Amino acid sequence: MLDLVAWIESFRSTIEETFPNIGEHISKYEYFNKRPDLLQEDNRQIDMDVAKDSLAWANNMLWSVHDLAKDEFLYHTKEQTQEWLDRVYKADHTKNQTSEGRLTTSLCEDVYSLAGVQLRTIQERLTRRSEALVQAVGGVFKFEFFLLI
Protein backbone atom coordinates (compact mmCIF):
# COMPACT_ATOMS: atom_id res chain seq x y z
CA MET A 1 0.00 0.00 0.00
CA LEU A 2 2.85 2.35 0.82
CA ASP A 3 4.35 1.92 -2.66
CA LEU A 4 0.97 2.55 -4.30
CA VAL A 5 0.41 5.72 -2.26
CA ALA A 6 3.94 6.92 -3.08
CA TRP A 7 3.55 6.20 -6.82
CA ILE A 8 0.23 8.07 -7.06
CA GLU A 9 1.69 11.06 -5.20
CA SER A 10 4.67 11.07 -7.55
CA PHE A 11 2.41 10.77 -10.61
CA ARG A 12 0.16 13.59 -9.42
CA SER A 13 3.15 15.82 -8.66
CA THR A 14 4.57 15.23 -12.15
CA ILE A 15 1.22 15.89 -13.83
CA GLU A 16 0.66 19.09 -11.86
CA GLU A 17 4.16 20.35 -12.69
CA THR A 18 3.60 19.66 -16.38
CA PHE A 19 0.00 20.96 -16.46
CA PRO A 20 -0.31 23.47 -13.59
CA ASN A 21 -4.07 24.02 -13.92
CA ILE A 22 -5.05 20.37 -14.33
CA GLY A 23 -6.28 20.16 -10.72
CA GLU A 24 -8.82 22.90 -11.39
CA HIS A 25 -10.10 21.20 -14.56
CA ILE A 26 -13.44 19.45 -14.11
CA SER A 27 -13.47 16.51 -16.46
CA LYS A 28 -16.48 15.78 -18.65
CA TYR A 29 -15.23 12.24 -19.11
CA GLU A 30 -16.84 9.47 -17.07
CA TYR A 31 -15.74 5.90 -16.54
CA PHE A 32 -18.44 4.27 -18.62
CA ASN A 33 -18.21 6.72 -21.51
CA LYS A 34 -16.75 5.50 -24.77
CA ARG A 35 -13.00 5.60 -25.18
CA PRO A 36 -11.75 9.18 -25.77
CA ASP A 37 -10.58 9.97 -29.28
CA LEU A 38 -7.31 11.81 -28.69
CA LEU A 39 -6.66 12.58 -32.37
CA GLN A 40 -8.29 15.36 -34.34
CA GLU A 41 -10.25 14.67 -37.50
CA ASP A 42 -7.10 14.51 -39.66
CA ASN A 43 -5.68 11.76 -37.36
CA ARG A 44 -2.32 13.57 -37.32
CA GLN A 45 -2.56 15.95 -34.39
CA ILE A 46 -3.64 15.45 -30.81
CA ASP A 47 -6.82 17.17 -29.66
CA MET A 48 -5.41 18.92 -26.57
CA ASP A 49 -8.83 19.57 -25.02
CA VAL A 50 -9.71 15.87 -25.11
CA ALA A 51 -6.22 14.93 -23.89
CA LYS A 52 -6.36 17.36 -20.95
CA ASP A 53 -9.86 16.23 -20.08
CA SER A 54 -8.76 12.58 -20.07
CA LEU A 55 -5.67 13.42 -18.04
CA ALA A 56 -7.76 15.35 -15.50
CA TRP A 57 -10.10 12.37 -15.22
CA ALA A 58 -7.20 9.95 -14.69
CA ASN A 59 -5.65 12.29 -12.15
CA ASN A 60 -8.92 12.54 -10.20
CA MET A 61 -9.55 8.79 -10.32
CA LEU A 62 -6.03 8.03 -9.13
CA TRP A 63 -6.49 10.47 -6.25
CA SER A 64 -9.59 8.55 -5.19
CA VAL A 65 -7.54 5.34 -5.27
CA HIS A 66 -4.83 7.18 -3.32
CA ASP A 67 -7.25 8.10 -0.55
CA LEU A 68 -8.44 4.51 -0.19
CA ALA A 69 -4.89 3.12 -0.30
CA LYS A 70 -3.70 5.73 2.21
CA ASP A 71 -6.46 4.79 4.66
CA GLU A 72 -5.59 1.11 4.28
CA PHE A 73 -1.87 1.84 4.68
CA LEU A 74 -2.48 3.88 7.86
CA TYR A 75 -4.67 1.11 9.28
CA HIS A 76 -2.01 -1.54 8.62
CA THR A 77 0.73 0.71 10.01
CA LYS A 78 -1.25 1.06 13.24
CA GLU A 79 -1.85 -2.69 13.44
CA GLN A 80 1.80 -3.48 12.72
CA THR A 81 2.99 -0.95 15.31
CA GLN A 82 0.70 -2.48 17.91
CA GLU A 83 1.91 -6.00 17.10
CA TRP A 84 5.57 -5.02 17.24
CA LEU A 85 5.15 -3.06 20.46
CA ASP A 86 3.41 -6.01 22.09
CA ARG A 87 6.46 -8.10 21.26
CA VAL A 88 8.84 -5.43 22.56
CA TYR A 89 6.99 -5.09 25.87
CA LYS A 90 6.80 -8.87 26.35
CA ALA A 91 10.49 -9.39 25.61
CA ASP A 92 13.09 -9.83 28.31
CA HIS A 93 15.07 -6.55 28.37
CA THR A 94 18.64 -6.00 29.42
CA LYS A 95 18.80 -4.61 32.94
CA ASN A 96 21.81 -2.73 34.24
CA GLN A 97 22.72 -1.13 37.53
CA THR A 98 25.06 1.83 37.64
CA SER A 99 27.71 2.32 40.31
CA GLU A 100 25.35 4.86 41.96
CA GLY A 101 22.70 2.15 42.23
CA ARG A 102 20.41 3.37 39.41
CA LEU A 103 18.59 0.69 37.48
CA THR A 104 18.27 1.00 33.71
CA THR A 105 16.65 -1.12 31.04
CA SER A 106 16.78 -1.32 27.24
CA LEU A 107 12.99 -0.95 26.89
CA CYS A 108 13.03 2.72 25.88
CA GLU A 109 15.81 2.13 23.34
CA ASP A 110 13.92 -0.86 21.91
CA VAL A 111 10.69 1.14 21.52
CA TYR A 112 12.37 4.07 19.78
CA SER A 113 14.44 1.76 17.61
CA LEU A 114 11.20 0.20 16.41
CA ALA A 115 9.73 3.64 15.67
CA GLY A 116 12.88 4.61 13.80
CA VAL A 117 12.69 1.57 11.53
CA GLN A 118 9.05 2.24 10.65
CA LEU A 119 9.54 5.94 10.08
CA ARG A 120 12.64 5.53 7.91
CA THR A 121 10.81 3.03 5.72
CA ILE A 122 7.86 5.39 5.29
CA GLN A 123 10.05 8.47 4.80
CA GLU A 124 12.15 6.79 2.10
CA ARG A 125 9.11 6.27 -0.12
CA LEU A 126 6.93 9.33 0.46
CA THR A 127 7.66 12.97 -0.32
CA ARG A 128 7.91 15.61 2.39
CA ARG A 129 4.68 17.16 1.10
CA SER A 130 2.83 13.89 1.58
CA GLU A 131 -0.23 13.97 3.79
CA ALA A 132 0.20 10.23 4.35
CA LEU A 133 3.72 10.81 5.72
CA VAL A 134 2.47 13.29 8.31
CA GLN A 135 -0.42 11.04 9.33
CA ALA A 136 1.79 7.95 9.58
CA VAL A 137 4.44 9.71 11.66
CA GLY A 138 1.76 11.13 13.95
CA GLY A 139 0.08 7.73 14.23
CA VAL A 140 3.27 5.85 15.09
CA PHE A 141 4.37 8.32 17.77
CA LYS A 142 0.87 8.72 19.18
CA PHE A 143 0.45 4.98 19.50
CA GLU A 144 3.89 4.44 21.03
CA PHE A 145 3.52 7.39 23.38
CA PHE A 146 0.21 6.14 24.79
CA LEU A 147 1.65 2.67 25.30
CA LEU A 148 4.55 4.13 27.26
CA ILE A 149 2.22 5.90 29.70
Side-chain angles (χ1 to χ4, degrees), residues 1-5 67-85 114 118 121-122 132 135-137 139-140 143-144:
M1 285 297 142
L2 176 59
D3 287 336
L4 178 60
V5 170
D67 288 342
L68 294 171
K70 180 185 74 168
D71 291 345
E72 191 70 18
F73 157 69
L74 292 171
Y75 172 78
H76 285 292
T77 299
K78 178 185 168 198
E79 292 292 312
Q80 187 178 48
T81 301
Q82 182 176 4
E83 178 186 330
W84 288 358
L85 285 173
L114 168 73
Q118 277 194 303
T121 302
I122 294 167
Q135 290 175 339
V137 168
V140 167
F143 196 75
E144 290 187 10

Side-chain angles (χ1 to χ4, degrees), residues 50-67:
V50 173
K52 283 183 181 179
D53 192 53
S54 297
L55 191 57
W57 176 82
N59 195 32
N60 292 337
M61 290 306 295
L62 276 175
W63 202 246
S64 296
V65 171
H66 170 272
D67 288 342

